[in-house]
Amino acid sequence: MSERRIRIETPALTRVEGEGRLDVDIRGDRIHRLHLDIFEPPRYFEKFLEGRHYSEVPDTVARICGICPVAYQMSAVQALESAFGIRPSPWVEAMRRVFYCGEWIQSHALHIHLLAAPDFLGFDDVMAMAREHPATVNRGLSLQGLGNALIALFGARSVHPVGARVGGFHHAPTPAEVAALVERLEAAIPEAEALVRWTAELPLPDEAQEFTSVALRHEREYPMVAGRIVSSAGLDVAAEAFDEHMQERHEPHSTALFAAIDGEPYLVGPLARLNLNRDRLPAAVAAVLSETGIGFPSANMYHSVVARAVEILFAVREARDLLAGYREPDSPWVAASPRAGDAAGATEAPRGLLWHRYRTDDAGLIRHARIVPPTSQNQARIEQDLHAALRAGGLDRPDDALRRHAETVIRNYDPCISCATHFIDLRVERGS
Amino acid sequence: MTDPYLPREAEILERVDEAGSIFSLRLALTDPRARADYAFAPGQFNMVYLFGVGEVPISVVRLRGEDADFAHTIRPVGRVTRAMAELRAGDRLGIRGPFGRGWPLELAEGGDVVVITGGLGCAPAVTVVHHVLANRERFGRLVIMQGVKHSDDLIWAEQYARWREAPDTRVLLAADQARPGWTGQQGLITTLFDQAEFDRGRATVMMCGPEPMMVASARRLVDDGVEAGRIWLSMERNMQCAAGHCGHCQFGPRFVCRDGPVFHYPEVAGLLGVRGF
Amino acid sequence: MTDERKPRVAVHKFSSCDGCQLAFLNLGPDLLRLAELVEIVHFAEAGPSNPDADVDIAFIEGSVSTPDERERLRRIRAHSGFLVTIGACATSGGLQALRNLRDSESEWREAIYARPEYIDSLAHATAIREHARVDLELWGCPVDGRQVLAAVRALLFGVPPVEERDKVCLECKRHQTVCVMVARGEPCMGPVTRTGCGALCPRFGRDCYACYGPAEGANTTSLAHRFEGLGLAPEAVARRFHFIHSGQEPFTGAGNEAAGIIPGKAR
Amino acid sequence: MSIYGFLHRSALKQLPECLNEAGYRCIGPRVREGAVTFGELTSIDDLPRGVGDEQRPAHYRLGEREDERLFAWAVGPQGLKSWLFTPRETLWRSRRDDDGRLYFETGSPADDRPLAAIGVRACDLAALRLQDAHFLEREPDPGYRKRRAGLFLVAVDCTHPAETCFCHSTGDGPACESGFDLALHELDDGFIVHAGSEAGERVAARLPLLPVGEEQEAARRDQQRAAIDAQQRALPGRNLRDALFANLDHERWQAVAERCLSCANCTSVCPTCFCHSHEEVPDLDGRTSEHLRQWDSCFTEGHSYIHGIVIRAETPERYRQWLTHKLGSWHDQYGRSGCVGCGRCITWCPVGIDLTEEATVICAEAGDD
Ligand SMILES: Cc1cc2nc3c(=O)[nH]c(=O)nc-3n(C[C@H](O)[C@H](O)[C@H](O)COP(=O)(O)OP(=O)(O)OC[C@H]3O[C@@H](n4cnc5c(N)ncnc54)[C@H](O)[C@@H]3O)c2cc1C
Ligand code: SF4
Ligand code: SF4
Ligand code: SF4
C-alpha cells in the first residue's frame, strides 16, 4: 500500500507533565503533516500578574508549573530585583543556588526514573520497572526525595514553596537542619555518580541531528541563576536583550507558543546546557563524565538523559559545597523599595532557559509581564526532531512502533506542558 | 500506674442484627486478667475503638449468655459506627472503660420506676428495663414510655410487646405523626403522661433521648408533682478521651464523661435546652 | 479486604500546573507501596492511560475550563465510584479562576495569542463540583501528600476520610509559631484559612496567603477590617481574598466588597 | 524555706550550670521570631538581655532597653503549657496482625530528663496549679505526670507588666508567692533569690549568695508596688460565674462575635485552657496505627459536634462557651476562675478582643436586671 495515513494520536501523551497529543499524517513515504498538539487550556498568568503587587509575584508564578516552581520564582525575583535596583546579599545568592539545586535534583530524578527510563528499558511505567529493578528505582526515588528536601529547606514544601521573596528568603534554616541535609547530600554523591554511569549504559539510540543549543553562560559557574544567553550558533546577549532575538509565533494546533531565534528552532535544557558549558563543570563531575566515554557537545538528543544525570551529580555536590560552613545570616532578605522599572530575568529551569520580563510602577504594582518558558522554546525543535527521527527509523513501521518511537522522542525533552500553556487549548482545524 | 488511654483487645463473640440497621455485638476481653477485672453498671459506657478508624463512646449493656463480658447495641450513623456495622464474630475491637456514672438503680428500689425514651431506640434505657425485670421483686410498678417523630420510626415493636406482658409493667407509645392503624397515642410524649399510672411521690424517673424531649418531659413531671430530685437523665456530648481531660463533653461545669452520662435532673436543669450548651 | 480484588484508582488532570499530581509522584517508597495496595489504572503523568476505565476511586486535579473538559468530566463521573478533587484548581477553580472576576477572557485571549480564533475555551475556569458530584474535596495549592495518603487509607478501610476544616491559626499555635500578624503586622490569612498545610507560611515568618481556601465559619468581614487597620488599601485587601481561591465564597464576596464591586457596599 | 540572698548579675551564669549538674536540662526565655518564648538554654547569654516589650490588644513588639536587665518584659505568647500538656503527642500505637488480633502499646516515651524552667512568672505558676488540678487530680494523665514530676521551677517576679496584664486583679501576681523551687527578683545589678522547696535549697546553696541589703529590699518593694500600679486592666470581679450565667442572652455576645474570628488563638495561648482532640493516623499499609491527641479549642466546629448537629455552630455560642467556662464554670470545676490575668489572649487575639472589656460589659448589667 503506497498511500498510508495514520494518526498517531494517543488520547494524551503519557509520562509528560500536562496534556499533549501528537498528530502525524503520513502519506506514503512522506510526512505530510506533524503536529505536537499541546491542548492544555490557556491559563493567562501574565494577565493575572497585571495590577498585582510585586511581593505577590513569587507566589503567583510558582503556580504556572508544579514541577519547576523554584525556577519561576527565581527568574521573577531576579527580574524584579533588577527593576528595583537591589542586590541581594552573597548569602542569598548562594542559598538561591542551593534552592535551585534542589529543583534540578528533584525534577531530573523524577524525569529519569518515572518518565524516561521505562521507555529505554521497555516498561510501561515505573511501578512495573520497580519490580525488576528495585535498587535503581529506589535510588531514583531517594534522589528525588533529597531534591524535595532541599527545596523544602528554603521553601517549607517542594511544590509551590513559600520561602522565596524579592530580596531573598522569608526564612533561614537553622544550622541543625542544614547539617542534617549536608549529611544526606554527602551520602548521595556516590549514588549520583552511579546514576551517571547507569544512564551512560542505557541502550540509547545512536542518532545524530543538527540543532542549535541555547543556554546561559557564566564566567565561572555552571549556569543556573546567572549569566548571558548564548547559543551554539554564536548568539551572546544579556538577558535583557533576549526578546530582541527570539520570536514567538502562535500555531493553530497548540496553545503553547513556538519560539525561534532568527526563524530557526533551537534547543534549551540539560543537553543544551552541557553542550555549551562542559568546561564549567567542576573537575570531580567532569571526571565522572569522562569515564563514561560520551563526548560533549553531543549531537545525539538521547544524551539528554545523561546530561540530566550529570546535572544531578553537579547539583548534589554544589549544594553540599555551598552549605558547608553554613551560618544563619542577620537577615535572610534585603528590603526592596519599589520604583517604576522594566527589567528581565533569566535562569536555567530544569527544562531549560526560563525568561521573565516585568514592568512595574512606582508603587511596586506590575504593569506588564512576559514569560517565556522552556517548553514553548523547545516545541518547534521537538517537531523538527520528530520529523527526522521518524523518517530515520523508517516510516513503514507499524503504527504501534511509530507511536512508541514518537513518544520516546517527545519524552526525551521532558516537555512541561503546563508551563508552556501560559497559553494553550487547541482545537485543531485539520484540513485534508 | 495504669494508663487510662490504653485500650484492651476484645473479641466479638456474636453479632446480632436488631431492628432496622441497628446491631449488637457481644464481646469478651481477650486478656483473662482484664476479663476478671471488668465490671460495669447499667448506664455506663465504653470507648470502643475500631482499628485505624477511630474511637466512639457506646453504652455498655448485657445481652443474653454468660460467655460475653458485655455487649454494645449500635446504631450506624457516621464514620466509625457505619464501619462497625461490617463487623462479624471473631473480629477484634479495642475497649476502654467502663466510664461514667450509671443509673441510680439502688436508689430506685422500693418504688415505681418510670423509663422515658425518645428517638430511635435508646440503649442506656434498655439496661434499666432489663435490670428491673430481672429483679422484679425489688421495684414497684414499671412504666415505659417511648415517643417517636413518626410511627414508622418505632423499632423493636416486638420488644415492647414482650415487655407489655411482663408483670406490673405498662408500655405507652406516642408518635407525633402516625400512620393509620397506629395503636399508640398521637402527639408528643408528654401526652402519655396522663395515662401513666405511677406514684408521683415515690417513683424514680429515668430518661434518655433528644434533649428537647427530655426538657419537656422533666418540666411536665415536675409540674405533675414529681420531685425534681427523683428524675435522672442520660446525656450525650462529643467525647474524645472519656477521662475528663479533653474538654469536649463539658456541659456547663459538668464533664459528661465522668460526672455523667447519667445526671440528676437538678444538676443540669439550668442549662438543659439552652442553645449552645 | 485481603484477598478481594484490589481497588482501582485513577488520577485525572484538568487545567492545572500538575503540582497536585506530585503529591503522588513525590511519595517516594510510598508510591511503590501504594501501587501494591491499589491498582492504578489511569495516571497519564506516571504512565497508565485508561481514562474511561471503571474505577473505585478517582482523583481529579485541575479546573474545568474548556467544553472538552466538561465532557471528559461527565464520563469520568459515570465511571468512578468515589470521586476526590485534589487541590485548589479542582475544588474552587484555583488561581486561573481569577479570569472569572473580570469579563476579560476574550480580551486576554487576544492580548496573548496572535490567532485568538484558534483558542476554544469556556468563559470561566470552575471547580469540579460545579459540573459533577464530588465525594470528597482535598484543598490546598498544592494538596498535601499526607492528606492524600490519609484519604486513600481511609477509603481502603472502607470509611470516608476525616475532613480538616479548622483554621490555620490552630495549627500555627500547635507549632508554637509566633503570630506574624500580632508580632509583625503582616496581613495573615490564617484566621480564615483551612488547616492542612501545617501552617507553613507563619512558620517561615510570613503571612499565610490562603492556599487552602476558606475554613469553616470564616469571618472574612472582620479580618478584612483588621487588614485595613494594619494599613492595607482596599485594593490590597481585595487582592488578599482574590488570590488562589478567588472562586470560593466567602472569599469571592469579601474581595468584591473590599474592591467595592458590589454596588451599595462599595466604600 | 530559709535561703534568701542576693546574687550578682554576673553570677547568674552559675544557675544553669548548677541545674545541669543536678541533672536538669534547662529551658528559659529567648528571643525567637520577634517574641520572647521558652527554648533550650545553653548558657545565660541566650536570655533576652536589655530587651523590653510593648503589648496592646493584637499588638506585640520587642524593643531595646537602656539597661542590662534580663527579665524586664511581660509574658510572651507561650507559657509552660506546651512543655507539659504538649501541643501534639501520641497516646497509643496499635498493630493488627494477619489474624486480625490487636496489640496496643503506650505512646512515645517523653524525654525523661527532668526539666528546669527559668523565668516562669506568677501567672504561669497559677496556671500550672490549674493544669495540675485538671491533668493530675482525678484521672492522672500519664504523659503530663511524667513531665511534671521532674519539673524544677525558677520563677521571676514581674517588674514590667504589659498594658494587657491584669494578674493583680485575679490575685495571681505580679510577685511570685509560692509554687516554685527558686524565685528571683531582678534589680539593677542582680537578683534577690529565695528558695521555695528543698530541691530549690539544694541548688541555691551552690550559688554565691550575699546578704540582702536594706536598700535592695526597698528597691524590691518599690518595684513590686510599681508593677501593681502599672496594671491598667482588671476583671470586674474574682467570681463572675453567676453574673455570666445570668446573662446568657446578652446582646454583647452577638456584638463580640462580629469581630471574633473563631480562630482559637486565645485558647491556644491561654495557659490554663486544656481542650484537645484525638486523631487516628493509620499507616498506609494498614497494619499499624497511631492515636494522637492535639490541642483543640471550644472555637472549633468539631469541639461541639455530635452526630448530625454542631451544638455551637455559630461564633456567639463559641465565644460565650469560652467566657462562661473560663470565668464562670471553672469555679465549679476547680474552685477558682480559669483566668490568671496573664493578658495573652488580649495581645494575641488577631483582632484584639479584650476579655476584661467583654466581661465588664456583660456582667455590668447583671445587677441591673
Ligand atoms: C455516653 C454515650 C453513650 C452512647 N451510647 C451509644 C450506644 O449505646 N449506641 C449507639 O449507637 N450510640 C451511642 N452513642 C452515640 C455514639 O457515640 C455516636 O453515634 C458515635 O460517636 C458516632 O460516631 P461516628 O463516627 O459513627 O459518627 P460521625 O458523625 O462520623 O462522627 C464523627 C466523630 O464525632 C464524634 N461523635 C459523633 N457523634 C457523637 C456522639 N453522639 N457522642 C459522642 N461523640 C460523637 C465521635 O468521635 C465520632 O467518631 C453514645 C454516646 C455517648 C456520649
Ligand atoms: S500567624 Fe497567622 S495563622 Fe498564625 S496565629 Fe497568627 S494570624 Fe493565625
Ligand atoms: S500557611 Fe496558608 S498559604 Fe501558606 S501553605 Fe499554609 S494554607 Fe497555604
Ligand atoms: S477571641 Fe480573638 S483569638 Fe479568640 S477566637 Fe476570637 S478572634 Fe480568635
Side-chain angles (χ1 to χ4, degrees):
Chain A
M1 206 172 73
S2 62
E3 186 86 340
R4 183 168 74 138
R5 294 184 55 176
I6 54 167
R7 178 166 289 178
I8 300 174
E9 192 183 302
T10 54
L13 281 168
T14 62
R15 282 184 280 126
V16 301
E17 293 102 7
E19 302 256 348
R21 174 167 56 199
L22 179 66
D23 178 21
V24 192
D25 183 350
I26 296 172
R27 306 213 177 146
D29 58 357
R30 268 185 51 240
I31 296 177
H32 179 69
R33 192 186 60 211
L34 183 151
H35 283 161
L36 175 60
D37 300 358
I38 290 191
F39 56 90
E40 176 88 13
R43 289 168 67 229
Y44 302 114
F45 272 82
E46 282 120 322
K47 289 289 156 189
F48 299 159
L49 286 166
E50 286 176 10
R52 293 246 156 217
H53 192 247
Y54 75 88
S55 61
E56 298 161 36
V57 173
D59 297 326
T60 307
V61 295
R63 267 78 190 174
I64 294 176
C65 175
I67 298 161
C68 51
V70 171
Y72 280 89
Q73 294 184 329
M74 293 301 100
S75 286
V77 295
Q78 196 185 81
L80 289 165
E81 284 161 5
S82 138
F84 299 154
I86 53 172
R87 177 120 205 213
S89 67
W91 181 90
V92 167
E93 286 185 345
M95 295 309 124
R96 279 185 177 163
R97 262 175 96 76
V98 176
F99 191 39
Y100 221 130
C101 283
E103 186 157 283
W104 277 20
I105 298 169
Q106 170 270 135
S107 173
H108 284 349
L110 185 150
H111 182 260
I112 293 175
H113 299 90
L114 270 54
L115 312 183
D119 268 349
F120 299 125
L121 298 177
F123 294 98
D124 282 340
D125 54 53
V126 71
M127 281 78 83
M129 182 173 146
R131 282 188 278 275
E132 293 196 27
H133 303 276
T136 304
V137 170
N138 279 320
R139 179 179 65 205
L141 292 174
S142 95
L143 282 168
Q144 189 187 341
L146 177 60
N148 283 326
L150 269 183
I151 303 175
L153 184 66
F154 292 92
R157 63 182 171 202
S158 64
V159 180
H160 306 334
V162 304
R165 60 178 290 161
V166 174
F169 288 100
H170 286 286
H171 167 88
T174 64
E177 291 165 331
V178 169
L181 260 175
V182 168
E183 215 169 281
R184 285 177 69 183
L185 287 162
E186 199 68 60
I189 292 174
E191 302 287 304
E193 290 174 351
L195 178 66
V196 173
R197 286 183 214 109
W198 181 81
T199 54
E201 282 160 18
L202 283 172
L204 302 175
D206 189 9
E207 293 173 12
Q209 295 187 4
E210 260 180 50
F211 55 85
T212 304
S213 297
V214 172
L216 287 181
R217 185 157 168 89
H218 185 271
E219 299 129 60
R220 291 176 311 280
E221 299 164 352
Y222 193 77
M224 193 175 257
V225 289
R228 290 171 67 80
I229 298 171
V230 303
S231 88
S232 54
L235 183 80
D236 184 353
V237 295
E240 286 299 333
F242 180 57
D243 51 346
E244 291 165 22
H245 299 268
M246 185 269 312
Q247 309 85 37
E248 279 186 305
R249 117 185 148 262
H250 184 196
E251 298 268 341
H253 61 270
S254 179
T255 38
L257 301 180
F258 284 70
I261 293 182
D262 301 329
E264 282 302 309
Y266 62 94
L267 175 76
V268 297
L271 183 62
R273 275 194 295 262
L274 191 54
N275 278 348
L276 293 166
N277 290 284
R278 189 189 187 289
D279 57 338
R280 296 287 187 262
L281 282 179
V285 180
V288 177
L289 178 57
S290 303
E291 273 174 46
T292 67
I294 300 176
F296 286 88
S298 164
N300 182 350
M301 272 308 305
Y302 291 106
H303 285 153
S304 298
V305 65
V306 180
R308 275 186 199 100
V310 168
E311 289 192 338
I312 289 179
L313 175 59
F314 163 74
V316 169
R317 299 185 62 103
E318 177 80 355
R320 180 202 57 177
D321 295 346
L322 289 166
L323 290 175
Y326 174 86
R327 283 262 202 74
E328 258 177 272
D330 289 337
S331 168
W333 47 277
V334 291
S337 31
R339 63 179 193 201
D342 185 346
T347 65
E348 283 289 350
R351 283 159 199 75
L353 187 68
L354 171 58
W355 187 84
H356 289 214
R357 164 165 234 122
Y358 298 97
R359 195 165 74 237
T360 56
D361 67 13
D362 46 17
L365 299 179
I366 305 301
R367 286 291 150 230
H368 182 77
R370 180 148 177 242
I371 296 172
V372 182
T375 294
S376 58
Q377 298 180 67
N378 273 342
Q379 204 180 349
R381 168 69 203 127
I382 300 176
E383 288 191 357
Q384 193 187 40
D385 186 346
L386 281 166
H387 269 281
L390 293 184
R391 216 175 307 113
L395 291 176
D396 49 355
R397 287 172 293 169
D399 286 11
D400 244 13
L402 275 177
R403 178 180 301 114
R404 209 171 158 103
H405 187 185
E407 285 206 50
T408 305
V409 168
I410 295 167
R411 242 179 245 131
N412 185 41
Y413 287 80
D414 191 9
C416 181
I417 287 167
S418 322
C419 294
T421 56
H422 62 127
F423 320 114
I424 301 194
D425 173 54
L426 259 284
R427 195 34 54 116
V428 193
E429 293 300 323
R430 291 184 185 90
S432 48
Chain B
M1 187 185 69
T2 58
D3 182 342
Y5 296 131
L6 201 63
R8 289 169 299 176
E9 188 197 39
E11 182 178 354
I12 298 173
L13 302 181
E14 187 190 2
R15 178 208 156 92
V16 184
D17 283 309
E18 311 280 2
S21 58
I22 297 174
F23 62 98
S24 295
L25 303 174
R26 294 176 56 247
L27 292 148
L29 295 166
T30 51
D31 174 41
R33 241 177 325 147
R35 269 199 98 157
D37 290 348
Y38 191 90
F40 74 92
Q44 285 191 301
F45 68 96
N46 279 337
M47 291 304 284
V48 185
Y49 168 69
L50 182 63
F51 175 75
V53 178
E55 220 190 8
V56 290
I58 302 287
S59 305
V60 201
V61 295
R62 188 170 297 290
L63 213 67
R64 317 176 270 284
E66 289 302 306
D67 51 340
D69 297 324
F70 55 87
H72 287 306
T73 297
I74 299 173
R75 184 161 67 94
V77 293
R79 236 182 134 251
V80 178
T81 49
R82 285 210 185 106
M84 283 178 173
E86 304 296 312
L87 295 169
R88 297 287 170 269
D91 290 343
R92 313 289 169 124
L93 289 167
I95 297 288
R96 293 195 288 133
F99 296 108
R101 175 170 70 170
W103 297 107
L105 291 169
E106 275 173 33
L107 279 179
E109 286 183 14
D112 294 348
V113 173
V114 180
V115 176
I116 300 175
T117 59
L120 294 172
C122 198
V126 173
T127 59
V128 175
V129 175
H130 285 168
H131 181 87
V132 172
L133 294 181
N135 301 280
R136 200 65 201 84
E137 69 293 348
R138 293 198 226 151
F139 298 91
R141 280 170 285 193
L142 173 61
V143 181
I144 301 166
M145 290 184 270
Q146 155 83 23
V148 285
K149 265 217 188 70
H150 193 280
S151 56
D152 289 352
D153 296 341
L154 188 81
I155 45 178
W156 276 316
E158 330 95 79
Q159 177 177 281
Y160 289 113
R162 234 180 312 122
W163 288 343
R164 212 170 247 136
E165 305 303 311
D168 222 358
T169 301
R170 186 86 200 274
V171 175
L172 298 167
L173 304 174
D176 291 2
Q177 296 159 349
R179 188 182 284 284
W182 169 248
T183 54
Q185 186 81 20
Q186 178 159 3
L188 294 176
I189 193 158
T190 40
T191 58
L192 297 173
F193 287 18
D194 291 336
Q195 307 165 32
E197 287 163 26
F198 58 93
D199 179 350
R200 274 21 187 202
R202 286 188 53 238
T204 302
V205 182
M206 299 183 232
M207 304 195 270
C208 75
E211 278 170 38
M213 178 277 280
M214 295 203 285
V215 176
S217 301
R219 290 198 181 140
R220 172 69 193 277
L221 288 165
V222 171
D223 287 348
D224 285 357
V226 177
E227 205 187 306
R230 299 199 70 103
I231 302 173
W232 301 77
L233 43 90
S234 179
M235 297 206 33
E236 257 181 52
R237 281 297 176 273
N238 186 300
M239 275 174 201
Q240 312 263 310
C241 75
H245 292 158
C246 80
H248 284 77
C249 70
Q250 288 177 92
F251 181 66
R254 315 282 166 188
F255 291 90
V256 173
C257 71
R258 68 164 199 228
D259 303 332
V262 173
F263 286 100
H264 204 192
Y265 176 54
E267 292 175 296
V268 291
L271 289 178
L272 202 64
V274 179
R275 207 181 122 107
F277 281 94
Chain C
M1 246 161 303
T2 36
D3 34 40
E4 288 165 28
R5 95 181 153 80
K6 284 194 217 167
R8 292 157 59 86
V9 172
V11 181
H12 297 278
K13 175 189 154 62
F14 287 73
S15 297
S16 67
C17 76
D18 289 71
C20 288
Q21 295 176 68
L22 286 182
F24 292 98
L25 296 181
N26 276 340
L27 283 176
D30 273 347
L31 176 62
L32 303 180
R33 285 211 281 165
L34 182 66
E36 297 296 311
L37 294 167
V38 302
E39 189 189 339
I40 301 176
V41 280
H42 174 80
F43 188 175
E45 190 168 329
S49 176
N50 216 340
D52 288 331
D54 285 325
V55 295
D56 301 290
I57 312 170
F59 289 96
I60 298 196
E61 171 193 276
S63 57
V64 176
S65 58
T66 67
D68 268 358
E69 287 184 330
R70 209 166 39 187
E71 169 54 23
R72 186 151 64 89
L73 179 57
R74 200 191 52 72
R75 291 204 310 275
I76 291 170
R77 178 66 268 189
H79 291 294
S80 307
F82 199 87
L83 192 148
V84 186
T85 60
I86 49 173
C89 300
T91 45
S92 79
L95 196 66
Q96 58 257 21
L98 281 172
R99 77 189 209 201
N100 308 359
L101 292 171
R102 315 213 318 225
D103 246 351
S104 41
E105 208 266 339
S106 58
E107 175 197 319
W108 287 354
R109 198 182 334 188
E110 277 166 40
I112 295 178
Y113 296 103
R115 309 284 301 271
E117 67 278 14
Y118 298 157
I119 309 287
D120 179 10
S121 72
L122 297 170
H124 289 170
T126 42
I128 298 297
R129 87 168 89 79
E130 313 236 328
H131 307 271
R133 181 172 55 80
V134 173
D135 299 300
L136 175 73
E137 296 184 320
L138 294 177
W139 296 71
C141 179
V143 71
D144 184 85
R146 172 190 62 84
Q147 285 190 329
V148 172
L149 280 191
V152 172
R153 182 64 257 170
L155 293 171
L156 289 175
F157 274 139
V159 295
V162 179
E163 222 196 319
E164 297 177 54
R165 294 162 51 89
D166 294 339
K167 283 123 197 153
V168 171
C169 293
L170 188 57
E171 189 63 13
C172 185
K173 282 287 178 289
R174 286 181 191 138
H175 283 281
Q176 296 289 290
T177 304
V178 175
C179 177
V180 299
M181 184 132 75
V182 171
R184 300 199 202 178
E186 300 283 346
C188 184
M189 290 287 279
V192 294
T193 300
R194 181 184 284 253
T195 187
C197 65
L200 298 180
C201 292
R203 286 166 68 197
F204 264 46
R206 60 167 296 186
D207 48 314
C208 163
Y209 56 94
C211 78
Y212 269 67
E216 65 85 19
N219 188 345
T220 50
T221 310
S222 173
L223 190 65
H225 192 72
R226 177 78 195 115
F227 286 171
E228 283 176 28
L230 291 172
L232 266 64
E235 314 80 68
V237 174
R239 289 200 309 270
R240 298 299 293 156
F241 290 101
H242 285 175
F243 195 35
I244 312 279
H245 289 276
S246 64
Q248 183 66 38
E249 291 294 358
F251 287 2
T252 318
N256 285 345
E257 191 170 326
I261 288 176
I262 297 173
K265 285 200 179 167
R267 60 200 68 237
Chain D
M1 304 295 155
S2 53
I3 293 189
Y4 187 80
F6 180 77
L7 183 72
H8 203 272
R9 174 162 295 124
S10 61
L12 187 70
K13 67 172 187 304
Q14 296 185 28
L15 178 61
E17 291 163 11
C18 291
L19 289 166
N20 288 337
E21 278 163 30
Y24 295 100
R25 75 192 160 106
C26 289
I27 59 166
R30 294 167 328 162
V31 172
R32 174 174 62 85
E33 299 167 33
V36 176
T37 56
F38 282 95
E40 298 275 344
L41 274 194
T42 49
S43 92
I44 222 74
D45 295 333
D46 294 340
L47 294 175
R49 188 179 301 269
V51 170
D53 61 348
E54 181 200 13
Q55 303 194 33
R56 291 196 301 271
H59 180 92
Y60 179 99
R61 293 291 185 281
L62 292 181
E64 282 177 29
R65 294 175 56 83
E66 308 273 274
D67 57 28
E68 293 273 283
R69 289 201 179 215
L70 300 172
F71 299 101
W73 37 264
V75 289
Q78 177 205 47
L80 273 179
K81 179 164 92 171
S82 60
W83 297 88
L84 295 166
F85 165 39
T86 51
R88 185 172 272 136
E89 93 183 85
T90 301
L91 291 181
W92 78 69
R93 275 175 241 281
S94 53
R95 182 167 63 81
R96 183 167 69 177
D97 69 14
D98 289 339
D99 299 328
R101 279 176 212 280
L102 303 181
Y103 304 87
F104 297 95
E105 61 177 75
T106 43
S108 47
D111 188 338
D112 271 349
R113 264 180 318 154
L115 190 72
I118 298 177
V120 177
R121 302 304 173 97
C123 54
D124 288 331
L125 292 174
L128 183 62
R129 278 191 288 271
L130 278 171
Q131 290 252 307
D132 285 352
H134 182 72
F135 284 110
L136 295 178
E137 265 166 25
R138 294 181 60 170
E139 181 80 76
D141 181 86
Y144 186 97
R145 196 168 89 144
K146 217 185 290 170
R147 293 182 287 263
R148 179 70 176 95
L151 187 65
F152 185 98
L153 296 161
V154 181
V156 174
D157 289 337
C158 260
T159 50
H160 293 74
E163 194 199 298
T164 45
C165 291
F166 56 100
C167 61
H168 184 61
S169 92
T170 63
D172 295 304
C176 301
E177 310 285 352
S178 64
F180 49 80
D181 296 293
L182 277 184
L184 311 179
H185 187 94
E186 186 171 35
L187 300 174
D188 279 339
D189 50 353
F191 304 87
I192 294 174
V193 177
H194 72 122
S197 72
E198 282 175 26
E201 301 232 320
R202 280 196 295 276
V203 172
R206 306 173 66 172
L207 296 172
L209 296 182
L210 308 166
V212 179
E214 188 46 50
E215 249 174 63
Q216 289 165 325
E217 244 350 301
R220 169 194 169 126
R221 271 195 308 274
D222 289 349
Q223 283 193 169
Q224 273 179 1
R225 189 69 251 157
I228 291 168
D229 293 344
Q231 297 199 1
Q232 305 168 13
R233 286 182 159 74
L235 280 171
R238 290 263 171 100
N239 187 342
L240 301 175
R241 182 188 64 182
D242 295 342
L244 286 166
F245 280 99
N247 277 292
L248 296 180
D249 294 324
H250 201 290
E251 59 194 21
R252 186 72 177 193
W253 301 117
Q254 188 59 47
V256 65
E258 272 160 32
R259 297 169 62 208
C260 176
L261 303 162
S262 207
C263 65
N265 272 302
C266 47
T267 57
S268 301
V269 293
C270 176
T272 69
C273 273
F274 50 67
C275 284
H276 55 268
S277 56
H278 286 200
E279 193 188 352
E280 182 75 15
V281 185
D283 258 18
L284 177 59
D285 63 15
R287 289 165 169 275
T288 59
S289 192
E290 260 187 88
H291 196 81
L292 310 179
R293 78 151 163 229
Q294 57 193 4
W295 286 0
D296 194 7
S297 165
C298 51
F299 282 94
T300 69
E301 177 186 58
H303 191 274
S304 67
Y305 170 85
I306 60 177
H307 179 77
I309 49 170
V310 177
I311 290 172
R312 290 180 283 279
E314 307 285 340
T315 304
E317 295 151 0
R318 297 186 196 171
Y319 191 86
R320 191 181 65 181
Q321 169 70 22
W322 134 259
L323 212 67
T324 55
H325 180 222
K326 183 102 319 189
L327 304 179
S329 37
W330 218 292
H331 287 275
D332 299 294
Q333 294 173 341
Y334 299 106
R336 59 156 293 174
S337 147
C339 174
V340 294
C342 72
R344 288 186 175 98
C345 65
I346 304 173
T347 299
W348 298 97
C349 169
V351 291
I353 292 172
D354 174 352
L355 91 166
T356 64
E357 184 186 334
E358 300 308 314
T360 303
V361 172
I362 289 161
C363 298
E365 284 156 36
D368 306 346
D369 288 345

